Amino acid sequence: MSKQIQAIRGMNDCLPQDTPAWQYVEQILRQTVASYGYSEIRFPIVEMTELFKRSIGEVTDIVEKEMYSFADRNGDSLTLRPEGTACCVRAGNEHGLLYNQEQRLWYTGPMFRHERPQKGRYRQFHQFGLEAFGIASADIDAEVIILSSRLWQQLGLTPYVKLELNSLGSSDARAAYRDALVAYLEQHKALLDEDSLRRMYTNPLRVLDSKNPALAEILAAAPKLADYLDDESAAHFARLQQLLTQAGVEFSLNPRLVRGLDYYNKTVFEWVTTELGAQGTVCAGGRYDGLVEQLGGKATPAVGFALGLERLVLLLQTLNLLPALPAAADIYLMALGEAAELAALSVAERLRTDLPLRRIMVHCGGGNLKKQMKRADKSGAGIGLILGEEELARGEITVKWLRADKPQQTILLTELANALAEQA
Ligand code: ATP
Ligand code: MG
């Protein structure tokens, strides 16, 4: 036997028993964003490497060590997209969607990051994200957050996720804060880990984002960004909190929340859960007013978020919040004998035309009634149809109730669709 080829580590198949859970989640996401007037945008999975370097930032986990980059045959450096926002802005700029306009957009699809695979962290994973362009005021930040909160409500997750909020302020405010933070970190240099020492000068805010528990104490006592906020950002942040309170969305302020991407300013937020271990962030986002211009467009305010679909599905599974697996079929058509087997597919076709919402599975591969009934049972169908040689000659078919205690009936084929239409 030849050796089987395996999938790439950290890149998962989604098997038939799992796709209904994904479809359920995707359907709720689509319905919810539609109810806020967001439109779908689709962009390629591969982009120029430069796009991510310029947007996410050179000194970030993603760009430093997580990107799947490769040389195209003509020598261009291309990258499998690690996230959607940069792609969305690139597409928006390229097609003139952003300048002087408001756009509420959503996207979904696979993202790629070369991370250590573990529960809730994969190398190919899926995000659902949305971006609102052209609105600078805090009401749109609030809407984006309220929308995410409605998603949890629709999925039954409200008790299990908590909203954390922070403001990164303007770039000037961050620069002033950065100096104070570096001065503080220098005093505690001996206690920092390798990653933090490296980041201290290149991207000191990211030190705050460290997940190393040994640093928790030093970082908790570090200067707070909130004390350095510029007036405009402080007012924006206060307004956002007021709007969320008014909407009944609970939150807590997390002064250490800085996010792992460089393009954010003002609002940043994360929805976190304690039910998934270390990979507890289900959804994350914020405002990125500088990014559109940074990528060559005209200055355009923007805010958005991305949620990790694997973590969401995992959370729903863990909490037993997924609906029961649906049966594959409603009706299972069996045929006995040469003439009946010949007619079965066309009987099913007519039925599909007459009953377009019913899922009709035709038994293929022959066999005796016992074998066919076994398959019918496995299909989950509630109704079995048996087409026999003699019945067919009389233009009839037998209807058998597979999950209800009702006597079987033999009816005219011409009346089959009507008879079934009356059954739920
Ligand atoms: P983390 O801190 O967990 O690494 P992140 O800050 O890198 O997350 P973002 O870039 O903000 O994540 O992506 C948004 C969401 O996408 C995350 O909150 C998470 O739910 C999901 N996500 C990110 N990376 C992965 C991954 N490697 N595998 C599965 N889901 C992921
Ligand atoms: Mg990450």
Side-chain angles (χ1 to χ4, degrees):
M1 226 165 47
S2 57
K3 191 168 177 282
Q4 277 186 18
I5 296 170
Q6 309 278 313
I8 295 166
R9 204 162 103 84
M11 305 206 180
N12 301 316
D13 300 303
C14 190
L15 301 178
Q17 68 261 28
D18 296 321
T19 47
W22 282 74
Q23 288 167 356
Y24 163 74
V25 171
E26 286 161 2
Q27 188 198 350
I28 288 186
L29 294 171
R30 282 168 203 268
Q31 277 170 358
T32 306
V33 293
S35 76
Y36 286 75
Y38 283 70
S39 309
E40 184 181 6
I41 181 166
R42 300 183 184 193
F43 29 76
I45 283 173
V46 185
E47 297 272 0
M48 302 297 285
T49 299
E50 182 62 19
L51 174 66
F52 303 111
K53 285 196 176 166
R54 237 208 271 173
S55 54
I56 297 168
E58 297 265 6
V59 193
T60 56
D61 280 348
I62 295 179
V63 172
E64 277 183 338
K65 50 189 186 195
E66 296 175 359
M67 291 208 300
Y68 277 92
S69 300
F70 59 96
D72 197 0
R73 290 182 186 277
N74 63 6
D76 288 340
S77 177
L78 308 184
T79 293
L80 299 185
R81 62 183 188 198
E83 60 116 33
T85 301
C87 311
C88 190
V89 171
R90 197 271 308 140
N93 278 341
E94 190 166 331
H95 301 286
L97 302 183
L98 306 183
Y99 180 56
N100 246 343
Q101 292 166 75
E102 283 178 15
Q103 294 284 356
R104 286 171 162 91
L105 305 175
W106 68 269
Y107 62 85
T108 190
M111 305 293 163
F112 302 84
R113 297 184 193 177
H114 196 275
E115 304 196 67
R116 193 170 67 77
Q118 55 199 288
K119 183 182 161 195
R121 192 175 293 285
Y122 312 99
R123 291 180 172 174
Q124 173 175 323
F125 62 101
H126 297 76
Q127 284 185 339
F128 182 98
L130 58 83
E131 319 287 356
F133 294 99
I135 306 165
S137 48
D139 44 3
I140 189 72
D141 306 37
E143 184 189 86
V144 160
I145 292 172
I146 292 166
L147 185 160
S148 54
S149 150
R150 175 174 290 270
L151 287 173
W152 317 137
Q153 203 186 325
Q154 304 279 325
L155 292 164
L157 286 174
T158 306
Y160 308 100
V161 289
K162 300 268 169 285
L163 174 62
E164 297 191 351
L165 212 55
N166 194 17
S167 175
L168 299 179
S170 66
S171 53
D172 284 350
R174 273 201 306 287
Y177 172 68
R178 190 176 296 131
D179 292 344
L181 182 63
V182 171
Y184 173 84
L185 293 174
E186 274 175 339
Q187 281 168 22
H188 297 86
K189 222 169 172 170
L191 299 168
L192 296 181
D193 61 10
E194 199 184 318
D195 260 353
S196 303
L197 285 170
R198 194 165 45 83
R199 294 236 156 98
M200 196 167 115
Y201 299 106
T202 49
N203 195 350
L205 262 66
R206 295 277 290 122
V207 176
L208 296 179
D209 204 26
S210 165
K211 301 208 162 82
N212 182 353
L215 300 185
E217 211 174 307
I218 313 169
L219 297 181
K224 304 271 181 293
L225 224 170
D227 298 327
Y228 292 79
L229 279 194
D230 50 298
D231 291 347
E232 197 208 324
S233 298
H236 185 100
F237 197 35
R239 179 69 179 162
L240 172 61
Q241 293 178 50
Q242 194 186 12
L243 288 162
L244 291 177
T245 305
Q246 170 74 25
V249 176
E250 287 176 29
F251 55 86
S252 59
L253 300 182
N254 177 356
R256 276 179 54 194
L257 184 64
V258 293
R259 311 278 308 109
L261 304 88
D262 276 357
Y263 50 63
Y264 289 110
N265 68 302
K266 289 187 179 157
T267 312
V268 286
F269 65 92
E270 287 190 359
W271 286 95
V272 293
T273 177
T274 52
E275 309 282 336
L276 290 180
Q279 272 57 251
T281 305
V282 177
C283 170
R287 182 165 275 283
Y288 51 96
D289 294 330
L291 184 61
V292 175
E293 195 174 17
Q294 203 177 314
L295 290 177
K298 297 262 166 48
T300 305
V303 56
F305 71 67
L307 60 83
L309 287 169
E310 279 80 2
R311 291 188 194 173
L312 200 52
V313 170
L314 209 55
L315 185 58
L316 292 165
Q317 272 162 356
T318 308
L319 296 166
N320 240 331
L321 291 172
L322 287 167
L325 214 62
D330 303 308
I331 297 170
Y332 194 90
L333 174 64
M334 295 160 268
L336 293 166
E338 172 64 25
E341 279 178 18
L342 190 63
L345 290 173
S346 37
V347 168
E349 284 308 310
R350 274 201 301 280
L351 211 49
R352 291 189 185 103
T353 304
D354 293 338
L355 304 172
L357 298 180
R358 300 291 182 91
R359 296 162 307 161
I360 301 161
M361 207 181 248
V362 178
H363 181 87
C364 289
N368 60 21
L369 183 62
K370 191 172 166 216
K371 174 180 168 189
Q372 297 198 31
M373 284 296 285
K374 229 172 153 172
R375 293 276 172 79
D377 186 51
K378 200 166 170 224
S379 77
I383 296 171
L385 300 177
I386 304 168
L387 199 57
E389 208 84 52
E390 288 166 21
E391 287 160 311
L392 182 62
R394 292 196 301 268
E396 290 177 344
I397 192 165
T398 298
V399 180
K400 216 173 157 59
W401 305 96
L402 303 176
R403 334 240 149 219
D405 197 15
K406 281 197 275 186
Q408 66 178 48
Q409 282 168 275
T410 298
I411 59 173
L412 281 172
L413 273 168
T414 49
E415 281 164 16
L416 179 60
N418 278 338
L420 293 178
E422 286 163 18
Q423 311 295 332

